[in-house]
Amino acid sequence: MGKGQGKTLTLNSAFRVGFTGTLGVGLAIGLIAALQSVATVFIYIGLALFLALGLEPIVLWLVERKLPRSLAVVLVVLAFIGIVAGAVLLIAPAVISQIQQFIGDLPEIVADLAATGWVADLEQRFTGAVDLDRIFNNIGDWVADPKNVVSLGGGVVSIGAGILSFLAGVVIVVILTIYFAVTMPTIKAAMLSLVAASSREIVESVTEEVTRSIGRYVLGQVSLGIVNGVCSAIFLTIIGAPLPALLAFIAFLASLIPLVGPITGAIIITGSCLMVSPGLGIAVGIYYLVYMQVEAYLLSPRIMKTAVNVPGALVIIAAIAGGTLGGVLGAVVAVPVAASGMIIIRKVVVPAQDER
């Protein structure tokens, strides 16, 4: 056989190639399935590390005041456990009861909504185009159907199972956060030991700045979320809004996402109040317009300070991209990740370009 000619593909060799390829595809599918099954574990680890970095600035603040690091970590960890336990005990029962109340009152809510004046006004304005009466009647019939009530009961069971899973996740994240907070210097030292000695100094400098930036961001964003949640709970309770604990919890979660989060939460809460009463919805809308101005110009600059030096446009892009890829957690993590990237560019990439 000439040098330029290839070997003839026999049945035996074709079988070996096909079998090897099938094994490779099966191994890849199995690996993907395994990663999906442990994805929750990676989320817990990432969230715990994120929270531990958020506790680090408090630990360092205590250490700077001549307190031993071990004692500072113990105090911060105890305070963290107390806050988490208090929040779960105070918020979880109210949120669960109000979710159950919402499901039980759903037929009455639909009937009251159909009887409001603004719905009748819309019906007159869009006569012939949209039959709102028929829409609300269909919704009311569906909610009143016993079969659908059973399905709603199944939904309640699913919600209960989800809440139990959430509480178990909280316990796991708290334990991991405590471990990471205690061993943070050891973790940093172990990571730096893997870096070449010639690059260790710059890597250590960048790592310290990144961790400080992430820590300040986590602490500041959680503080803003607590302020928004507490103020929302007080205001919604005073004006008699429906399900104030649940809506305040939504406000807290939304505030963890920078820029777009508070706006989204305000829209959801205002829309929920509009379903009850136009006047109530307008009052809530005005409140959040005022609150967002106070947060943007007074609270956020004072709380965040130099936590993350990221342009507003990049914050919006990072939050949207992170939310698309990883949901709420992705949106929360995206901004400090973007800030870390900018720190690396400023500390590593730019100096390297200047030396050329």
Side-chain angles (χ1 to χ4, degrees), residues 110-347:
V110 173
D112 292 341
L113 181 61
T116 54
W118 64 272
V119 172
D121 183 61
L122 287 177
E123 177 70 21
Q124 292 178 357
R125 292 177 181 273
F126 295 98
T127 302
V130 179
D131 191 351
L132 292 179
D133 286 337
R134 182 177 180 182
I135 293 174
F136 280 106
N137 288 334
N138 290 336
I139 295 174
D141 293 340
W142 186 91
V143 173
D145 192 338
K147 296 180 180 179
N148 296 325
V149 172
V150 173
S151 68
L152 287 176
V156 173
V157 173
S158 300
I159 291 173
I163 291 173
L164 291 177
S165 177
F166 171 77
L167 293 177
V170 168
V171 173
I172 295 172
V173 169
V174 168
I175 295 173
L176 290 175
T177 301
I178 295 171
Y179 172 77
F180 288 142
V182 172
T183 60
M184 186 64 66
T186 306
I187 294 174
K188 290 181 180 179
M191 293 178 61
L192 288 174
S193 65
L194 301 176
V195 180
S198 58
S199 305
R200 195 166 295 167
E201 183 177 355
I202 182 64
V203 171
E204 183 177 7
S205 174
V206 172
T207 301
E208 288 296 329
E209 188 169 350
V210 167
T211 54
R212 283 197 304 269
S213 176
I214 294 176
R216 290 194 296 263
Y217 167 79
V218 174
L219 199 59
Q221 206 64 39
V222 170
S223 300
L224 290 174
I226 292 174
V227 171
N228 191 3
V230 172
C231 292
S232 296
I234 295 173
F235 177 77
L236 294 173
T237 302
I238 290 175
I239 66 173
L243 313 176
L246 181 59
L247 296 180
F249 186 64
I250 292 173
F252 166 75
L253 292 179
S255 290
L256 297 180
I257 304 173
L259 292 182
V260 297
I263 298 174
T264 304
I267 293 173
I268 294 173
I269 296 171
T270 303
S272 301
C273 293
L274 276 172
M275 293 178 63
V276 177
S277 167
L280 190 65
I282 292 172
V284 172
I286 293 174
Y287 163 77
Y288 278 108
L289 283 176
V290 174
Y291 174 81
M292 284 189 287
Q293 302 307 311
V294 173
E295 179 182 294
Y297 294 103
L298 182 62
L299 296 178
S300 187
R302 291 178 180 272
I303 293 177
M304 299 300 288
K305 291 183 179 178
T306 58
V308 286
N309 186 17
V310 181
L314 185 57
V315 169
I316 296 175
I317 294 172
I320 294 174
T324 303
L325 295 174
V328 175
L329 183 60
V332 173
V333 175
V335 176
V337 169
S340 302
M342 292 188 65
I343 291 172
I344 294 173
I345 292 173
R346 187 174 68 250
K347 288 279 189 176

Side-chain angles (χ1 to χ4, degrees), residues 39-58:
T40 304
V41 177
F42 290 131
I43 292 175
Y44 288 160
I45 294 173
L47 183 57
L49 185 59
F50 203 60
L51 292 175
L53 290 174
L55 297 177
E56 186 69 7
I58 305 176

Side-chain angles (χ1 to χ4, degrees), residues 54-137:
L55 297 177
E56 186 69 7
I58 305 176
V59 174
L60 295 178
W61 183 83
L62 293 175
V63 170
E64 290 173 356
R65 272 121 188 103
K66 310 302 180 183
L67 203 66
R69 179 178 174 88
S70 57
L71 180 58
V73 170
V74 170
L75 292 176
V76 171
V77 165
L78 290 177
F80 175 70
I81 294 174
I83 292 172
V84 172
V88 170
L89 292 176
L90 289 174
I91 296 174
V95 171
I96 293 172
S97 64
Q98 291 191 3
I99 290 175
Q100 293 174 339
Q101 177 186 348
F102 172 76
I103 294 175
D105 295 344
L106 194 56
E108 184 179 351
I109 292 173
V110 173
D112 292 341
L113 181 61
T116 54
W118 64 272
V119 172
D121 183 61
L122 287 177
E123 177 70 21
Q124 292 178 357
R125 292 177 181 273
F126 295 98
T127 302
V130 179
D131 191 351
L132 292 179
D133 286 337
R134 182 177 180 182
I135 293 174
F136 280 106
N137 288 334

